[in-house]
Amino acid sequence: MSILLADSGSTKTEWVLLKDNLKVEPYYTEGLNPYFKTYQELVEVIDKKVALYFIKNSVEKIYFYGAGCGTEENRNRIKEVLKNSFEGAEIEVGSDLLCAAIACFGHESGLACILGTGSNSCLYDGGKIIDQIPSLGFTLGDEGSGGYFGKRIIRSYFYNEMPEDLKVVLREKYDMSLAAIREKVYNESNSNRFVASFSILLGEYKDHLFIQNLVREGFTEFVDKQLGYFGDLSSQKIGFVGSIASIHQEILTEVLGKKGLQPDIIIQKPMERLVEAHKLKVRKSI
């Protein structure tokens, strides 16, 4: 049996083929968030890049998990494009949050959180999401995410709150004129990805005091607002997926500890555990 798995964020999509329950090397395309991609742009990527790459393999089933796939309308849009490119394949589309929950807990229950380009969290019962915080997206929500930290970094640069050594780093990486930043943010597509790209400083300068304080503030806001939404979590396992959570897990653990909580699992990328969960699913169906 040939199964294609996809983990799609706003920035990048990872595709992995399971052929006779053996993993084939991953393939990468740009992110396929239906909030930021037109129908035709989705077709261009899936038809001309994904379908052509996997054309030698008879794909029988596709599990696509993606950012922006929390609504039925967006799931159906992705499903339609995939059906047009992979005729005859059985297709299931779920949210990136469901992907995170499966990766963290498999068939057990828990509270799953994403701290990537965006952020989100949900209660998972071992098979499905039973409650989740309303996703307000890049403009109104996404506390503790790459987009959130990107905005904070840009603001601190122009408000003169950032140390000079980090300002120099930004000027080496970007055109930091106000006109250039405004153009990228307000007049060009994929502004969320552009803003989130500034969060690269969180990894490259993770030991810088300014960055550590920024991360601590962002994680505190995430815990207060997003985890606070669920009330008493003392009996829940808590899992995190995403590079920001992984890189700064010591600060994340510290912030959670102040609320009497602790992370049970922190995963940088969900695909490996997603593959294992689907392998188990196949074995159980045989």
Side-chain angles (χ1 to χ4, degrees):
M1 189 174 195
S2 187
I3 299 173
L4 185 58
L5 301 176
D7 169 29
S8 181
S10 294
T11 306
K12 181 174 66 176
T13 303
E14 182 177 3
W15 304 82
V16 167
L17 187 71
L18 286 178
K19 198 166 181 65
D20 298 325
N21 229 21
L22 296 175
K23 178 186 168 186
V24 179
E25 282 301 307
Y27 175 67
Y28 297 94
T29 63
E30 62 201 82
L32 295 173
N33 188 327
Y35 280 118
F36 303 125
K37 292 286 187 187
T38 66
Y39 184 85
Q40 190 53 45
E41 286 172 332
L42 294 172
V43 170
E44 287 286 318
V45 175
I46 292 173
D47 195 43
K48 295 188 176 178
K49 293 182 181 179
V50 182
L52 284 178
Y53 184 82
F54 292 106
I55 197 168
K56 293 180 182 179
N57 300 283
S58 177
V59 176
E60 299 168 67
K61 193 156 189 173
I62 300 173
Y63 292 94
F64 182 99
Y65 300 95
C69 292
T71 67
E72 186 176 359
E73 180 183 359
N74 282 350
R75 288 193 295 272
N76 287 338
R77 186 180 304 167
I78 294 289
K79 191 171 185 177
E80 182 181 342
V81 177
L82 286 167
K83 273 188 174 296
N84 289 338
S85 298
F86 293 91
E87 293 182 13
E90 186 181 343
I91 297 168
E92 291 187 23
V93 179
S95 67
D96 57 344
L97 199 50
L98 179 58
C99 175
I102 294 170
C104 285
F105 304 114
H107 298 293
E108 298 181 2
S109 63
L111 178 74
C113 308
I114 294 174
L115 287 173
T117 302
S119 67
N120 212 333
S121 49
C122 72
L123 281 175
Y124 174 71
D125 69 357
K128 62 183 182 299
I129 292 172
I130 56 174
D131 191 15
Q132 71 180 84
I133 191 165
S135 180
L136 299 180
F138 170 68
T139 303
L140 299 176
D142 279 354
E143 296 84 4
S145 70
Y148 167 93
F149 287 119
K151 284 186 283 188
R152 290 287 305 272
I153 287 168
I154 293 171
R155 278 207 305 266
S156 67
Y157 177 91
F158 286 105
Y159 287 172
N160 204 29
E161 299 169 339
M162 177 180 286
E164 187 60 32
D165 58 334
L166 291 181
K167 284 185 176 182
V168 171
V169 171
L170 288 183
R171 286 194 289 266
E172 290 173 349
K173 290 179 178 290
Y174 301 93
D175 180 349
M176 291 303 295
S177 67
L178 185 57
I181 296 296
R182 281 176 169 167
E183 177 67 22
K184 288 280 190 181
V185 172
Y186 296 111
N187 295 328
E188 295 187 12
S189 61
N190 297 319
S191 62
N192 67 312
R193 288 168 58 182
F194 170 71
V195 172
S197 73
F198 282 78
S199 67
I200 192 173
L201 263 67
L202 271 61
E204 293 181 351
Y205 296 90
K206 61 174 291 188
D207 296 325
H208 196 293
L209 183 60
F210 175 84
I211 295 297
Q212 290 182 345
N213 287 335
L214 188 68
V215 169
R216 189 172 287 108
E217 290 172 10
F219 284 171
T220 299
E221 193 165 354
F222 174 85
V223 171
D224 287 345
K225 289 183 167 54
Q226 294 214 26
L227 300 196
Y229 170 86
F230 298 101
D232 182 14
L233 295 173
S234 57
S235 63
Q236 291 287 347
K237 289 184 177 180
I238 305 176
F240 290 84
V241 169
S243 57
I244 291 175
S246 178
I247 292 169
H248 295 280
Q249 54 186 288
E250 289 183 6
I251 295 176
L252 180 58
T253 301
E254 170 200 318
V255 170
L256 287 167
K258 290 179 179 178
K259 300 291 183 180
L261 304 171
Q262 64 178 18
D264 288 88
I265 185 170
I266 299 175
I267 305 165
Q268 183 167 357
K269 295 172 66 178
M271 184 55 83
E272 285 298 324
R273 292 176 65 91
L274 193 65
V275 165
E276 292 307 312
H278 283 281
K279 280 183 177 181
L280 181 61
K281 197 172 188 178
V282 170
R283 286 196 294 268
K284 285 184 176 180
S285 67
I286 296 174

